[in-house]
Amino acid sequence: AQRVTQPEKLLSVFKGAPVELKCNYSYSGSPELFWYVQYSRQRLQLLLRHISRESIKGFTADLNKGETSFHLKKPFAQEEDSAMYYCALSRSETSGSRLTFGEGTQLTVNP
Amino acid sequence: ETGVTQSPTHLIKTRGQQVTLRCSSQSGHNTVSWYQQALGQGPQFIFQYYREEENGRGNFPPRFSGLQFPNYSSELNVNALELDDSALYLCASSLDLGQPLYEQYFGPGTRLTVT
């Protein structure tokens, strides 16, 4: 069975500081990893996925299979980054796209 | 292009009752997934429908059932409601089944409270 762990429920940083949201997973196969974000009073939306190797809103995430991690990073946090962030995993070898989510990290960027 | 919509927004039910939640998928999407999000938790996969057939189910009892219609809209039915069923129920649609490049688009959710 797959599992996603986000060790920090709350994370607070100052504007301009680097931020890293941790995500670890357990899965025996080859996973697809995602970060979803939920801004205040908005719906859950995809931020980025590891297969695209893209940077969105200054955020990047690298899949480290050796450490089974997919941490989300941004060198200079902005106040508008304040939101709830969820790491999620999908099993690539199955025909479904069901997602297993972590419990989420509430990021607050202080002015 | 219309996004994923869900109805109702909120509802309150009594333990033992039955409830039906509805979801309209984004235009052109044929895959719908349902998730339960308890307070302070991440979304948990309930089941998925692809072209009107159930395709995968999470660790939920049979009293959680669903349907997908020819227009790809979907319903989630919960029988014999329990207090622990109180949660936000999310619907997500995607363009096609099993394609990780096809993003899942989430609806705003239905907040169910069981008293």
Side-chain angles (χ1 to χ4, degrees):
Chain A
Q2 60 267 32
R3 185 180 177 88
V4 176
T5 303
Q6 294 179 249
E8 301 144 327
K9 274 200 173 293
L10 302 171
L11 183 62
S12 183
V13 301
F14 285 102
K15 177 183 173 181
V19 62
E20 181 180 52
L21 290 84
K22 291 184 167 53
C23 172
N24 289 92
Y25 67 90
S26 62
Y27 180 56
S28 57
S30 181
E32 303 290 347
L33 273 296
F34 306 83
W35 276 98
Y36 278 79
V37 62
Q38 187 166 27
Y39 300 102
S40 180
R41 290 184 291 277
Q42 294 187 28
R43 60 186 68 188
L44 196 61
Q45 58 186 283
L46 178 66
L47 178 62
L48 55 78
R49 65 199 108 188
H50 91 272
I51 57 174
S52 300
R53 297 183 179 276
E54 56 198 348
S55 172
I56 302 294
K57 299 185 178 182
F59 284 98
T60 59
D62 292 319
L63 178 59
N64 185 324
K65 292 187 177 181
E67 296 183 356
T68 59
S69 68
F70 188 56
H71 302 328
L72 183 68
K73 300 176 184 179
K74 185 170 182 177
F76 307 104
Q78 302 299 314
E79 290 180 66
E80 56 265 30
D81 296 328
S82 295
M84 192 72 173
Y85 291 81
Y86 294 97
C87 182
L89 176 155
S90 175
R91 295 155 53 178
S92 62
E93 73 273 15
T94 64
S95 61
S97 55
R98 57 189 285 180
L99 295 167
T100 299
F101 285 87
E103 293 193 352
T105 297
Q106 178 68 52
L107 173 66
T108 301
V109 181
N110 300 297
Chain B
E1 187 176 87
T2 308
V4 178
T5 60
Q6 292 185 243
S7 62
T9 305
H10 303 88
L11 75 167
I12 300 173
K13 290 285 188 177
T14 303
R15 190 170 48 185
Q17 286 187 315
Q18 178 266 343
V19 69
T20 297
L21 310 182
R22 294 179 174 82
C23 170
S24 290
S25 58
Q26 187 154 320
S27 177
H29 289 188
N30 58 22
T31 304
V32 173
S33 302
W34 285 92
Y35 295 83
Q36 180 196 65
Q37 186 174 18
L39 199 61
Q41 304 292 318
Q44 194 171 0
F45 177 77
I46 303 174
F47 45 56
Q48 181 182 77
Y49 279 84
Y50 171 65
R51 295 189 175 182
E52 303 179 59
E53 297 288 329
E54 185 178 295
N55 180 75
R57 187 178 183 91
N59 189 27
F60 281 81
R63 58 190 185 83
F64 284 78
S65 63
L67 281 174
Q68 187 179 32
F69 300 99
N71 66 355
Y72 302 135
S73 65
S74 178
E75 285 183 356
L76 164 64
N77 299 289
V78 187
N79 294 321
L81 283 166
E82 300 178 0
L83 296 180
D84 285 349
D85 296 333
S86 295
L88 181 68
Y89 288 85
L90 297 170
C91 167
S93 73
S94 58
L95 185 58
D96 207 349
L97 180 68
Q99 302 295 328
L101 286 178
Y102 290 155
E103 177 179 344
Q104 288 197 39
Y105 291 83
F106 283 81
T110 293
R111 172 73 63 188
L112 172 65
T113 302
V114 182
T115 62

